Amino acid sequence: MQSQDVAPRPAPSSSDPVVDVEQAEAALVEHYPRLVRLAYLVLPPSLGRNRRVVTAHALTQRALPRGRTPAPVIPAQSTGRDGDPGYAFVRLQVLRTALEAGLPLRRAAFPKRSQLPPLLPQVWGLRLFPRSGGADELALDQRLSALSGPARAAYVLRGLEELSDDDVHSILDSAGCADPDAALSEADDVSATQYPLLDSPEFDPCSLQARPTDLMRRRQHTKAALAAAAALAVCGTLLGLPGDGWAPDGAAAPVYAQNPAAEAALDPAGLARVAPTAWETSARTDFSVWPARGDLTGDKALLRRALAVWARPGESVQVSATPGTQSGGPSGPPQLLYAGTVDSARVVILYDGLRIARYAEPKDGTKGAALDFARVDDAGRSEASALVLDRADGNVRYLTAPWVTTAAERNLLKPDAGATGLKLTGGVTAPLAGPATQTGACTSWNVLQLTDSTGTHVATDLGELIPARLTTGRPGSPHEVSGAQALRAWAPYACSLGSLRSAGVRNVNAWAYARQPLPGAGEAGSAEWVCTRAETWRGGGTRVLAQFHTPGGAYGAIVAKAENVPACGAKDPHVLAGVLWKSETGSWYLLAAGSRATSSISTTGGVRASARGGLLAVRAEQGARAELKGVLDDGRPIGGLG
């Protein structure tokens, strides 16, 4: 068999056009089967079909440039894929490396990467090869195997790529072929009438058959490998164990790496602790000024376990995080907020400036430990007034901020009933019934009422570490739920808070945006339209509900809802919603209401009507469906919520 050397690649001119990585990648992905077939045909058959298949894929996958690179000259008459500089580049790279792979190894020279068995892709326990063709394909393969690598490349470029001899000569020269003319002349030894066979499945390394390797030899090798792996595992375990073992870290997983920064973050002695009176003089009133409280703040073993589990939670640890909250370890020593015994558990609360981490373990061991995370970045005074310390038997205990003076429990469904005081012991409240555990009919919704020197505010437990703050009023200027009027405003809509559980909610505002006289009910029969908007700690995932409350009704009805919309918020304090309502006489009406700045409302679909102003009431059929549209005072259109 003849052989020809591959010459070094000539240095490109600085004025040549360039190919971007993205352009080359797009061409490679689009024409991947053709490029792999090209590599397979150029590679020497002496490699064997299995290695030729794997090497063809490896060479093609390595054809991308490392950055912007000069583009090869594209034949002037080329169209389609050949007119794409990205395709021309990756084809040239595949051809160059396939020719290099066919060169004999020399003792004096270090082998090129393409001459070695590929690292990727790899297939274990199987031999892969293209589907067998007919006698013509077999004969062609034998004739090609008798050619040199450059001659095979010339034949394939002529037949598979349909290029002229001048174009083939140019590409071979660019690929580093020392004598393209000789390669073209040698390729003439194989008849051009067999060009169509190059598209045969016989030469398609992307459509493969699989057969097992030598099973007996593989069994012997497997036994030897298992014995070696077992010995290595024993040695690695002995060498990797820290001096005092893993036991001090409790339910934490094994140490990943030992370095000064990681060890400093997990050292109990490095925990930040704030003075009990720091909040009184600090410009900030958030979790950063909370002092360390609890009866176990000096238990270094407990604190070490909490830090270790935070960094490396083991498989037995139950980990939870509010949506959008990262659960990775702290980047530096966190701040200790609490360490103590709560009911039947030992609890540690830590703060790293962005997150609250709560570690809890049973009193009698570390089995069943839990780790919870909540995002609290940019928390204000009201939002940093309390966090959930423990849940047990449907009750909740809170740890309150040092500025909280009194705590109370209140049923939001009964605004006229008084609040029940909760005893504070070291900032920890007595247990109160949590609404997050209720099932069946909603008969009560207990909330936490906190008072400090600035006033009173209300928060509700939604199944997460940080209770959600409740407010009322127009978007952009809400106020705390403190007086009788604000409590009554929330009462019909309290049970709708159940739909917000475990959503990472930061605060919920209820805005009574319209009152609408009901048809035939007189002045005393006016319904209330309320929009409740839940903001989250992560910013996204906001939820908006439009609710309709008729006179004498215990609860508001959710008539429309939407997520991730600006409606009913500070950036877009407008909303429009509608409902089909049945009067006492049995007549059905379509009722719609927009916020104060709505100048007109119209409906299309099953009900066609329009009205000036922000209210619409029109007779309708039961089950009718209509689309709402409105116009604001400034001329902007507004659609129905949801």
Side-chain angles (χ1 to χ4, degrees):
M1 182 176 68
Q2 301 180 24
S3 65
Q4 296 185 16
D5 292 338
V6 178
R9 183 182 181 183
S13 169
S14 60
S15 61
D16 288 342
V18 295
V19 174
D20 292 328
V21 177
E22 293 80 7
Q23 187 178 7
E25 181 183 22
L28 189 150
V29 172
E30 181 180 359
H31 303 292
Y32 183 85
R34 192 172 195 86
L35 292 166
V36 177
R37 183 189 291 264
L38 174 67
Y40 181 85
L41 286 165
V42 175
L43 285 169
S46 59
L47 292 177
R49 291 198 293 174
N50 180 75
R51 182 170 168 184
R52 277 176 76 191
V53 166
V54 177
T55 302
H57 283 275
L59 298 182
T60 305
Q61 293 171 14
R62 296 203 302 262
L64 290 179
R66 296 184 181 275
R68 291 169 62 85
T69 189
V73 176
I74 304 173
Q77 76 276 18
S78 296
T79 58
R81 63 177 180 275
D82 296 320
D84 177 9
Y87 177 78
F89 176 86
V90 293
R91 180 180 62 188
L92 182 61
Q93 290 296 103
V94 168
L95 188 63
R96 178 183 293 112
T97 54
L99 290 173
E100 291 174 350
L103 295 176
L105 295 173
R106 295 188 176 94
R107 292 183 179 180
F110 192 83
K112 296 185 178 182
R113 184 181 180 185
S114 56
Q115 294 177 274
L116 300 174
L119 296 176
L120 290 174
Q122 283 286 357
V123 179
W124 296 90
L126 289 174
R127 293 187 181 277
L128 303 177
F129 48 89
R131 298 182 180 277
S132 299
D136 292 338
E137 287 86 355
L138 179 60
L140 175 61
D141 192 42
Q142 291 174 345
R143 293 189 182 97
L144 291 177
S145 66
L147 300 178
S148 66
R152 277 195 305 275
Y155 187 89
V156 171
L157 290 173
R158 283 172 170 174
L160 188 66
E161 295 294 277
E162 301 178 357
L163 297 179
S164 66
D165 281 3
D166 289 341
D167 296 334
V168 172
H169 187 286
S170 176
I171 293 175
L172 288 177
D173 184 61
S174 298
C177 177
D179 193 348
D181 290 324
L184 285 166
S185 177
E186 184 183 356
D188 291 336
D189 294 342
V190 182
S191 173
T193 59
Q194 295 183 304
Y195 285 159
L197 296 178
L198 295 176
D199 283 316
S200 167
E202 171 80 20
F203 307 114
D204 183 8
C206 291
S207 179
L208 302 170
Q209 297 185 92
R211 293 293 184 271
T213 56
D214 189 326
L215 298 179
M216 293 302 297
R217 180 179 297 177
R218 191 170 72 191
R219 179 179 298 176
Q220 295 171 355
H221 290 176
T222 301
K223 290 180 179 179
L226 288 175
L232 183 62
V234 172
C235 294
T237 301
L238 294 175
L239 292 174
L241 279 173
D244 54 356
W246 294 333
D249 292 345
V255 177
Y256 303 141
Q258 293 181 335
N259 60 72
E263 292 178 353
L266 303 181
D267 184 3
L271 285 172
R273 300 173 188 246
V274 175
T277 58
W279 66 273
E280 297 178 1
T281 56
S282 174
R284 300 178 61 175
T285 49
D286 55 18
F287 292 105
S288 66
V289 294
W290 278 35
R293 288 169 287 180
D295 60 330
L296 298 177
T297 54
D299 190 336
K300 290 186 177 181
L302 171 64
L303 299 178
R304 180 181 296 278
R305 290 195 298 272
L307 290 168
V309 170
W310 184 355
R312 313 182 308 275
E315 294 182 358
S316 63
V317 179
Q318 302 176 28
V319 181
S320 69
T322 57
T325 304
Q326 300 298 319
S327 58
S331 58
Q335 178 183 341
L336 177 63
L337 303 186
Y338 183 87
T341 304
V342 184
D343 296 328
S344 60
R346 289 187 291 261
V347 178
V348 178
I349 305 291
L350 300 166
Y351 170 65
D352 70 350
L354 296 174
R355 300 168 296 170
I356 294 291
R358 174 186 176 273
Y359 170 78
E361 66 179 27
K363 283 183 180 180
D364 55 356
T366 60
K367 186 177 182 181
L371 183 65
D372 305 307
F373 293 95
R375 185 171 171 175
V376 293
D377 48 314
D378 197 30
R381 184 186 183 101
S382 296
E383 295 158 332
S385 290
L387 57 81
V388 173
L389 191 60
D390 180 60
R391 289 190 180 89
D393 300 325
N395 296 321
V396 184
R397 287 185 188 269
Y398 293 92
L399 178 65
T400 61
W403 54 82
V404 171
T405 55
T406 61
E409 175 184 0
R410 178 182 288 279
N411 183 358
L412 204 56
L413 287 178
K414 298 180 178 180
D416 297 325
T420 303
L422 294 172
K423 183 180 180 181
L424 287 175
T425 305
V428 179
T429 68
L432 69 152
T437 61
Q438 291 180 353
T439 58
C442 180
T443 57
S444 66
W445 192 274
N446 297 323
V447 295
L448 177 67
Q449 179 176 289
L450 300 173
T451 303
D452 58 31
S453 60
T454 63
T456 299
H457 70 273
V458 168
T460 183
D461 175 29
L462 294 179
E464 297 173 324
L465 280 180
I466 308 301
R469 175 192 175 201
L470 301 183
T471 59
T472 62
R474 184 175 177 79
S477 56
H479 51 269
E480 303 289 352
V481 181
S482 55
Q485 183 177 355
L487 291 169
R488 294 191 187 100
W490 255 109
Y493 315 105
C495 291
S496 67
L497 292 168
S499 64
L500 304 175
R501 292 174 180 142
S502 303
V505 174
R506 182 173 187 164
N507 54 66
V508 188
N509 183 60
W511 172 36
Y513 68 89
R515 290 191 67 85
Q516 182 173 27
L518 297 174
E523 293 185 3
S526 293
E528 183 180 55
W529 290 88
V530 167
C531 181
T532 57
R533 180 180 176 89
E535 302 285 357
T536 66
W537 288 99
R538 64 189 183 279
T542 55
R543 300 186 185 184
V544 181
L545 303 178
Q547 304 194 56
F548 180 73
H549 181 227
T550 55
Y555 311 108
I558 299 175
V559 298
K561 56 185 176 181
E563 292 189 22
N564 293 313
V565 296
C568 198
K571 293 184 178 180
D572 186 18
H574 307 288
V575 64
L576 173 63
V579 64
L580 278 175
W581 173 76
K582 184 179 181 181
S583 68
E584 293 182 356
T585 61
S587 299
W588 285 91
Y589 291 85
L590 172 63
L591 306 179
S595 49
R596 184 184 307 171
T598 305
S599 62
S600 65
I601 301 175
S602 62
T603 66
T604 58
V607 180
R608 294 183 175 273
S610 62
R612 292 185 176 275
L615 300 175
L616 179 145
V618 59
R619 290 287 294 269
E621 297 293 330
Q622 181 180 0
R625 304 179 69 88
E627 181 180 354
L628 290 176
K629 295 182 180 179
V631 178
L632 300 177
D633 290 340
D634 59 5
R636 288 192 297 133
I638 181 175
L641 185 68

